[in-house]
Amino acid sequence: MPDLEERYRAYLTCLNERRFDDLADFAHDPVVHNGRTLGISDFRTLLERDSAEIPDLTYVIEGLVVQDDQVACRIRFDCTPVTDFRGLPTAGKAVSFAEHVFYRFERGKIAEIWSLIDTDAIRDQLTP
Amino acid sequence: MPDLEERYRAYLTCLNERRFDDLADFAHDPVVHNGRTLGISDFRTLLERDSAEIPDLTYVIEGLVVQDDQVACRIRFDCTPVTDFRGLPTAGKAVSFAEHVFYRFERGKIAEIWSLIDTDAIRDQLTP
């Protein structure tokens, strides 16, 4: 899969442009997310909820490692949630945090995702 | 660097065997860790502290992605800290958690590290 990096970048562009109707072009149905098997409509709900809670959510690649059918990405978010996010009192606060996420692709589409969000960094930024 | 994966696996073996005297074979002096520039002796102190707080700490590779001079690894820890760990009351508790970590190598040695620990998973396991 020589163009896997390109496929992956197109996936993040899809998310940044909120083209959730195109999600099935990039992810299998179902897809496994942090050990949970999700139908693609549930996966879409998850992503839509993030962008509802954080209207200015933009996925910015800080580091990208691609090998065979695997992608690992360090993503930076500089954003202002309008509500609580991941149980943290982020409403109206500008926060900057990283996601470290691994993907396994199958036939050019995401089959499995392991995601970690730096919630400790968010906690630190919310502490007066 | 065709043998970067092998180099990286040897680094984790070095940590698992507590051969901290060999650290300079694997990491530059200084090395940048989560944005902080550390002399190798400070980096060693950091790693030794982890293994003092968690005597049975073992780095187990769950996922590994290698490209050019970059390595991304999903590491699993199943361990029992003897003290608090990362400010969490883990003393005597068996916990299982992941680290998602990215490395940039230079001339076969680690130059930069971006590490995220799944502290939320630890918090969940400590909640009665």
Side-chain angles (χ1 to χ4, degrees), chain A residues 5 63-67 70 72-74 98-102 114-120 123, chain B residues 5 63-67 70 72-74 98-102 114-120 123:
Chain A
E5 174 175 340
L64 185 58
V65 192
V66 181
Q67 183 186 24
Q70 296 189 95
C73 194
R74 214 170 61 248
E99 177 181 7
H100 288 191
V101 56
F102 289 74
W114 297 263
S115 161
L116 272 188
I117 299 274
D118 192 357
T119 52
D120 283 344
R123 283 186 185 88
Chain B
E5 174 176 341
L64 184 58
V65 193
V66 180
Q67 183 186 26
Q70 295 189 95
C73 194
R74 215 171 60 250
E99 177 181 8
H100 287 191
V101 56
F102 289 74
W114 296 263
S115 161
L116 271 188
I117 300 274
D118 191 357
T119 53
D120 283 344
R123 282 185 186 88

Side-chain angles (χ1 to χ4, degrees), chain B residues 15-31:
Chain B
L15 298 185
N16 282 334
E17 297 180 348
R18 310 291 192 257
R19 289 186 283 103
F20 296 114
D21 284 342
D22 296 346
L23 205 54
D25 295 343
F26 298 103
H28 283 283
D29 185 5
V31 62

Side-chain angles (χ1 to χ4, degrees), chain B residues 4-58:
Chain B
L4 188 59
E5 174 176 341
E6 194 179 318
R7 286 287 295 158
Y8 178 67
R9 288 181 181 273
Y11 165 66
L12 291 192
T13 299
C14 167
L15 298 185
N16 282 334
E17 297 180 348
R18 310 291 192 257
R19 289 186 283 103
F20 296 114
D21 284 342
D22 296 346
L23 205 54
D25 295 343
F26 298 103
H28 283 283
D29 185 5
V31 62
V32 180
H33 183 271
N34 284 349
R36 286 198 307 156
T37 301
L38 297 178
I40 194 143
S41 65
D42 289 332
F43 183 49
R44 175 180 177 148
T45 298
L46 201 75
L47 293 167
E48 285 186 324
R49 194 185 58 198
D50 284 346
S51 67
E53 293 178 351
I54 312 178
D56 65 348
L57 189 72
T58 306

